[in-house]
C-alpha cells in the first residue's frame, strides 16, 4: 500500500495517495527546479580561474605592435615606422606612448579617477517602506499597512563640494600621468644620447686599435733588425689588448642600452635605433635663471597636483562645517492601505539632524590642519622645483664650460701637432712611431671630447626634466 501524504491547506487536513494526480507529468516540477537553479546561477558572478595559458596568450597579443588608445594627439604627427625600420628618438617615444605597460597602468588609474567625478554626482536613491502591518488584524479581516516613499535630502552645497573634490583628485592623478610621460621622454632621450656616445666611442676605439696594430707591426720589423727590444713589443701588445677590451666593453654597454630602450618602448618585435648626427650637438639657447624657473613653475605637473590637494582640503573644511547646522536628513510620503482607507489617507514624515551632543569641532579642526599641511606641501614643491632648475642649470654651465675648454685648447693643439708631424714625416725628419703616438693621443682627446659632449647632453636632459618640457627660446 502506498504511504499516505498529509497536506495542510487553510487549516484543513486531507490525505491522498503518494502518487501524482492524473494527467500531471512528475518530471515537470523537477525541470522547473533545475531551470530556477540555472537562472539563479546565471545571475551570480563567477570569477575566472587562474590559467597559465592566459598569461601566454596575453604575451603573444602584446607582441603585436598596434597603436594604443593612450597616444596623445601631439604624437600622432610622428610617422609610424615599419617593423624593420630604425627608430629615431621621436618615433621611439611615440611607440612608447602606445605600448609602455607602466604608462598604460598610470593612464588607467587616471580614467578611474575621472570616473569618480560621476560617482560623486550621484545622490542616494529613495526607498519604498512597508510598515504598520499587524498580523492579528488578519484574523478579523481588517488587514492594513502603510506604504511610504522615503528620500534622503543632501545638505546644501555638499554634492557640489564632493564633486569638486573628485574633480581635483582626477586632476591630480592626470598630472601624475603627465609627469610619467615627461619622465619617459627624458629616459628615452638619455638612452639615445648614450647610444650616440657609445657608437662614436667604438669608432674611435677601432681607430685606436688600428694604430696599435700598426705600431706592433713596426716594432716587430725593428725587433728583427734589433732596433727595438722584446719589452717594447710586449708593451705594445698590452696596449693593443687593452684597446680591444675597451671596445668590447663599449659594445656590451651598447647592447644593454638598446635593451633598455626596447624595454621602455614596450612589448613588440625587435627594434633597431637610429641616432641623429646632432644628438650630442650644442643647444644654442639663452639660459636665464629667472625665465627658466618661471617656465618650470608654469609647466611642472607636480605643482598642479599640489594646488589640487590644497583645494581638496578646503572642500573638506566646507563639508565638515556643513555638519554643524541642523538639517533635514530625509522626507517621507505615506499612504495607508486598509479597509477604512480613503483617498485622503496620505501622510508625511520628516527627520531632522540636530547637532546637540557634537558640533563636529574635531573634524573641522582636523580639516583645517590638513589645509595648512597641503599649503606647506605646495610651498615645498615650489621650492623643490626652483632648486632642481638651479642645480640642473649649474650642471649645464659646468658641462658646457668643459666642452668649450676642450674645443679651445686640447683639440686644436693636437690637430696642430698632427699637421706638423705629418709634414715632418713626409720630410723624413720624424720617427713613424712618434707620429703614431701623436695620432693615438688625438684619438684619446676625441674620446674625452665625446664624453664631455655626452655629459652636456645629459645635463640638458636633466634641465628639460626640471623644466617640465623642452627648452624654448
Amino acid at each position: 500500500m502506498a504511504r499516505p501524504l498529509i497536506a495542510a491547506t487553510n487549516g484543513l487536513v486531507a490525505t491522498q495517495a503518494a502518487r501524482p494526480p492524473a494527467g500531471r507529468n512528475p518530471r515537470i516540477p523537477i525541470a522547473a527546479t533545475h531551470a530556477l537553479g540555472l537562472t539563479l546561477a546565471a545571475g551570480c558572478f563567477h570569477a575566472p580561474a587562474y590559467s597559465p595559458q592566459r598569461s601566454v596568450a596575453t604575451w603573444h597579443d602584446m607582441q603585436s605592435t598596434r597603436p594604443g588608445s593612450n597616444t596623445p594627439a601631439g604624437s600622432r604627427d610622428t610617422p609610424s615606422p615599419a617593423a624593420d625600420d630604425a627608430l629615431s628618438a621621436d618615433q621611439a617615444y611615440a611607440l612608447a606612448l602606445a605600448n609602455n605597460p607602466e604608462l598604460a597602468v598610470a593612464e588607467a588609474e587616471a580614467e578611474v579617477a575621472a570616473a569618480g567625478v560621476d560617482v560623486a554626482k550621484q545622490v542616494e536613491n529613495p526607498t519604498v517602506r512597508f510598515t504598520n502591518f499587524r498580523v492579528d488584524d488578519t484574523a478579523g479581516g481588517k488587514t492594513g499597512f502603510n506604504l511610504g516613499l522615503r528620500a534622503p535630502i543632501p545638505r546644501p552645497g555638499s554634492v557640489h563640494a564632493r564633486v569638486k573634490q573628485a574633480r581635483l583628485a582626477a586632476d591630480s592623478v592626470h598630472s601624475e600621468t603627465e609627469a610619467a610621460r615627461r619622465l619617459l621622454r627624458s629616459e628615452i632621450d638619455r638612452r639615445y644620447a648614450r647610444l650616440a656616445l657609445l657608437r662614436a666611442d667604438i669608432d674611435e676605439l677601432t681607430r685606436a686599435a688600428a694604430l696599435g696594430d700598426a705600431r706592433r707591426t713596426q716594432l716587430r720589423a725593428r725587433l728583427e733588425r734589433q732596433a727595438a727590444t722584446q719589452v717594447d713589443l710586449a708593451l705594445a701588445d698590452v696596449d693593443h689588448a687593452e684597446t680591444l677590451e675597451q671596445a668590447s666593453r663599449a659594445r656590451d654597454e651598447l647592447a644593454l642600452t638598446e635593451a633598455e630602450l626596447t624595454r621602455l618602448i614596450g612589448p613588440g618585435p625587435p627594434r633597431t635605433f637610429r641616432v641623429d648626427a646632432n644628438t650630442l650637438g650644442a643647444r644654442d639657447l639663452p639660459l636665464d635663471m629667472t625665465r627658466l624657473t618661471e617656465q618650470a613653475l608654469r609647466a611642472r605637473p607636480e605643482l598642479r597636483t599640489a594646488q589640487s590637494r590644497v583645494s581638496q582640503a578646503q572642500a573638506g573644511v566646507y563639508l565638515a562645517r556643513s555638519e554643524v547646522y541642523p538639517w533635514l536628513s530625509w522626507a517621507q510620503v505615506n499612504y495607508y492601505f486598509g479597509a477604512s482607507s480613503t483617498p485622503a489617507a496620505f501622510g508625511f514624515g520628516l527627520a531632522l539632524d540636530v547637532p546637540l551632543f557634537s558640533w563636529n569641532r574635531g573634524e573641522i579642526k582636523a580639516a583645517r590642519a590638513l589645509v595648512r599641511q597641503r599649503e606647506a606641501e605646495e610651498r615645498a614643491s615650489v621650492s623643490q622645483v626652483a632648486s632642481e632648475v638651479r642645480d640642473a642649470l649649474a650642471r649645464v654651465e659646468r658641462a658646457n664650460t668643459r666642452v668649450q675648454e676642450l674645443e679651445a685648447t686640447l683639440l686644436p693643439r693636437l690637430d696642430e701637432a698632427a699637421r706638423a708631424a705629418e709634414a715632418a714625416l713626409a720630410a723624413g725628419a720624424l720617427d713613424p712611431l712618434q707620429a703614431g703616438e701623436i695620432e693615438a693621443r688625438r684619438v684619446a682627446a676625441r674620446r674625452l671630447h665625446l664624453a664631455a659632449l655626452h655629459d652636456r647632453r645629459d645635463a640638458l636632459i636633466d634641465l628639460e626634466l626640471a623644466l617640465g618640457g623642452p627648452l624654448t627660446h
Side-chain angles (χ1 to χ4, degrees):
M1 178 181 294
R3 180 177 299 175
L5 296 178
I6 301 176
T9 306
N10 293 333
L12 302 178
V13 179
T15 61
Q16 62 180 11
R19 61 176 180 270
R24 180 178 298 180
N25 190 347
R27 296 183 179 179
I28 293 179
I30 299 176
T33 303
H34 289 173
L36 179 60
L38 291 175
T39 302
L40 294 177
C44 299
F45 171 75
H46 299 279
Y50 167 73
S51 173
Q53 294 301 323
R54 176 178 175 179
S55 300
V56 175
T58 302
W59 178 74
H60 282 295
D61 180 69
M62 293 172 68
Q63 295 307 303
S64 59
T65 56
R66 53 184 179 271
S69 60
N70 54 338
T71 304
S75 64
R76 293 172 186 167
D77 298 335
T78 303
S80 298
D84 55 348
D85 288 345
L87 301 177
S88 65
D90 292 337
Q91 291 172 335
Y93 177 59
L95 280 177
L97 289 177
N99 299 326
N100 186 274
E102 290 80 6
L103 182 60
V105 171
E107 294 187 345
E109 293 175 352
E111 291 179 1
V112 172
V117 177
D118 294 331
V119 175
K121 293 178 181 179
Q122 298 176 351
V123 296
E124 296 183 25
N125 289 319
T127 58
V128 177
R129 302 176 62 86
F130 180 81
T131 57
N132 293 338
F133 176 80
R134 297 171 57 91
V135 178
D136 54 353
D137 289 343
T138 60
K142 299 180 180 180
T143 304
F145 60 88
N146 281 333
L147 188 64
L149 180 65
R150 175 180 295 184
I153 305 176
R155 289 178 176 267
S158 60
V159 175
H160 176 75
R162 286 194 297 269
V163 171
K164 186 66 174 179
Q165 278 187 321
R167 284 176 178 166
L168 292 170
D171 288 343
S172 177
V173 178
H174 178 73
S175 299
E176 294 174 358
T177 305
E178 291 296 327
R181 291 195 186 100
R182 177 173 54 90
L183 181 61
L184 179 62
R185 178 72 205 210
S186 68
E187 291 297 323
I188 290 177
D189 288 343
R190 207 180 300 275
R191 298 310 188 281
Y192 267 85
R194 186 68 177 167
L195 284 181
L197 169 66
L198 291 172
R199 290 179 180 179
D201 197 37
I202 289 173
D203 292 339
E204 295 296 338
L205 287 171
T206 302
R207 296 188 186 94
L211 290 172
D213 193 52
R215 183 167 182 265
R216 292 166 62 217
T217 301
Q218 294 172 0
L219 286 174
R220 287 194 191 96
R222 294 189 180 191
L223 182 61
E224 293 176 356
R225 301 192 307 267
Q226 296 183 354
T229 64
Q230 189 68 37
V231 174
D232 295 333
L233 181 58
L235 290 176
D237 290 339
V238 170
D239 292 340
H240 185 260
E242 290 177 347
T243 302
L244 294 179
E245 192 277 334
Q246 291 177 2
S248 177
R249 188 168 60 247
R251 292 187 185 94
D252 290 341
E253 293 182 9
L254 181 65
L256 289 175
T257 304
E258 291 178 344
E260 292 173 357
L261 266 174
T262 301
R263 181 187 60 80
L264 290 173
I265 290 175
R271 295 289 186 179
T272 57
F273 306 99
R274 182 180 75 253
V275 178
D276 296 332
N278 61 344
T279 299
L280 299 180
R283 301 294 195 274
D284 188 13
L285 295 175
L287 300 179
D288 178 70
M289 172 71 72
T290 302
R291 184 186 63 81
L292 293 178
T293 303
E294 292 176 353
Q295 178 184 346
L297 294 177
R298 286 191 297 266
R300 286 285 290 269
E302 295 90 336
L303 300 180
R304 179 179 177 181
T305 300
Q307 293 182 16
S308 298
R309 288 176 177 173
V310 172
S311 300
Q312 281 182 268
Q314 291 172 347
V317 173
Y318 177 85
L319 290 174
R321 293 181 59 186
S322 67
E323 297 292 333
V324 176
Y325 308 102
W327 184 250
L328 298 172
S329 59
W330 53 265
Q332 178 173 314
V333 178
N334 300 323
Y335 183 79
Y336 177 74
F337 290 87
S340 61
S341 62
T342 64
F346 280 98
F348 69 93
L350 298 173
L352 180 66
D353 290 335
V354 180
L356 182 60
F357 299 107
S358 172
W359 284 14
N360 211 28
R361 295 301 183 189
E363 186 174 351
I364 294 174
K365 184 178 180 180
R368 288 174 175 170
L370 182 61
V371 170
R372 293 191 294 270
Q373 175 188 342
R374 297 305 188 205
E375 290 174 346
E377 292 173 352
E378 181 186 3
R379 290 191 294 271
S381 298
V382 171
S383 176
Q384 178 68 23
V385 168
S387 299
E388 290 177 1
V389 173
R390 181 180 63 250
D391 296 342
L393 182 57
R395 184 190 171 195
V396 169
E397 292 174 347
R398 291 194 303 269
N400 191 54
T401 299
R402 176 168 172 74
V403 170
Q404 292 175 353
E405 289 176 352
L406 288 173
E407 293 176 348
T409 56
L410 182 60
L411 293 179
R413 292 176 185 178
L414 280 172
D415 291 340
E416 183 179 354
R419 288 190 295 269
E422 183 179 0
L425 186 62
L430 181 66
D431 188 349
L433 288 179
Q434 292 182 344
E437 291 176 358
I438 293 174
E439 190 62 30
R441 295 181 68 175
R442 286 185 70 195
V443 170
R446 286 197 296 266
R447 293 186 64 200
L448 287 175
H449 184 236
L450 285 172
L453 289 175
H454 175 265
D455 289 343
R456 183 176 66 181
R457 177 59 182 143
D458 193 70
L460 285 171
I461 292 173
D462 280 342
L463 180 58
E464 291 179 343
L465 186 63
L467 294 178
L471 285 167
T472 57
H473 289 280

